[in-house]
Amino acid sequence: MTFRQIGVPLAALVIFGLFWEWLVWVNGWPNYKMASPSDIWPAFWKFRGLFLEYGWDTLWRTVVGLLLSVVFGVFLGMIMGLSKTMRDALYPLLVGFNAIPKATIVPIIALMFVGQHDMNTILIAFLISFFPIAVSVSIGLSTLEPEYRDILASLGASKFTIFWKIALPKTLPEFFGALKVAVTLAFIGTNLMEIVEPHGRGLGHLFDSGKISADYPLMFAVLIALALMGIVLYYVVVALEKVFAGWAERNPT
């Protein structure tokens, strides 16, 4: 990575933090109304053990849920992308499911599988993040130019070869674009479940504890921790995209 790629995002974060601190100071907001960045670091340090422990719980559950969404989303997207009949049959179901607010599904799953904190959290992370992956893969495969397919078929290529050599690489830019969205959605799903479950673990549970005790610096510290974890996971996806689909990137003129 170049200095610009590292320095510009860091500078933006610093400017945002200074503006946040200034906004709280100018309005004279107490920390029980709006915590400032200078209030957040002491909360991090005070509960550093819980942040490490619960942060790991949130991270691994999110990653597992995201991996499941990739496997299922790619499989479903392939089915819809390669078959117009299946696409017409499944799209309304997927759109209808995705239109349901996931916050309403969380308590249902929590009641169905009482005490299964890990499974419940992973399940919600999966349910909330597979949709964009399935749709992107489906669109990528269904919009494959017929000329490519016809040329390879005339040369004796099998359907599997056409899929492997042309269709699959073509979907990679759309897939990674959807995966960047799915990363943030998976974190949302994880924390929804962690907040709802009364005896759960994870940063969502720590946020709920701060809410109960009206500890606003702790609540904002949890939000910052989640944001940082989301940024790290996002850039992991960006790194993978450069490895597997870097050929599709175009530098702006």
Side-chain angles (χ1 to χ4, degrees):
M1 297 182 70
T2 65
F3 174 77
R4 183 188 64 81
Q5 291 174 315
I6 299 175
V8 171
L10 288 178
L13 290 174
V14 171
I15 292 172
F16 173 77
L18 292 174
F19 174 74
W20 181 0
E21 186 78 31
W22 174 83
L23 190 65
V24 173
W25 175 75
V26 165
N27 289 280
W29 290 329
N31 63 10
Y32 58 81
K33 183 176 182 180
M34 172 64 78
S36 65
S38 58
D39 295 320
I40 292 173
W41 173 249
F44 269 122
W45 185 252
K46 180 179 179 181
F47 298 100
R48 58 190 181 279
L50 287 177
F51 271 101
L52 289 174
E53 182 181 354
Y54 285 1
W56 169 248
D57 287 332
T58 295
L59 181 61
W60 79 260
R61 290 164 170 173
T62 302
V63 170
V64 172
L66 186 62
L67 291 176
L68 290 175
S69 72
V70 168
V71 174
F72 182 75
V74 169
F75 175 72
L76 196 61
M78 288 173 59
I79 292 175
M80 294 189 298
L82 298 175
S83 171
K84 188 176 187 304
T85 300
M86 295 303 297
R87 186 163 63 250
D88 293 340
L90 294 176
Y91 250 115
L93 295 175
L94 287 176
V95 172
F97 174 78
N98 196 58
I100 299 174
K102 300 306 179 287
T104 61
I105 299 177
V106 169
I108 295 175
I109 292 178
L111 290 173
M112 288 176 63
F113 307 104
V114 176
Q116 303 296 320
H117 306 307
D118 291 339
M119 186 190 76
N120 292 346
T121 309
I122 292 170
L123 182 58
I124 285 296
F126 157 72
L127 290 175
I128 203 173
S129 60
F130 81 89
F131 179 79
I133 296 175
V135 171
S136 69
V137 173
S138 171
I139 293 174
L141 292 176
S142 63
T143 56
L144 176 65
E145 290 81 354
E147 293 82 4
Y148 293 141
R149 189 183 296 111
D150 294 340
I151 292 173
L152 287 176
S154 66
L155 295 175
S158 64
K159 289 185 177 180
F160 176 79
T161 301
I162 295 173
F163 170 77
W164 185 256
K165 296 293 186 179
I166 299 296
L168 185 60
K170 182 184 181 299
T171 65
L172 287 178
E174 291 88 352
F175 165 76
F176 280 107
L179 189 57
K180 293 174 186 177
V181 176
V183 164
T184 57
L185 294 177
F187 270 108
I188 292 173
T190 300
N191 285 274
L192 280 174
M193 181 58 74
E194 289 174 348
I195 290 173
V196 168
E197 289 197 312
H199 304 294
R201 296 163 59 88
L203 292 179
H205 181 68
L206 189 58
F207 178 88
D208 194 51
S209 299
K211 182 186 69 175
I212 293 172
S213 58
D215 190 339
Y216 277 63
L218 174 59
M219 293 168 64
F220 276 90
V222 170
L223 296 179
I224 295 299
L226 289 170
L228 292 176
M229 290 169 61
I231 291 172
V232 169
L233 204 54
Y234 174 87
Y235 278 104
V236 169
V237 174
V238 170
L240 292 174
E241 181 182 25
K242 289 185 179 297
V243 172
F244 295 104
W247 52 266
E249 185 177 350
R250 298 289 185 271
N251 292 324
T253 56

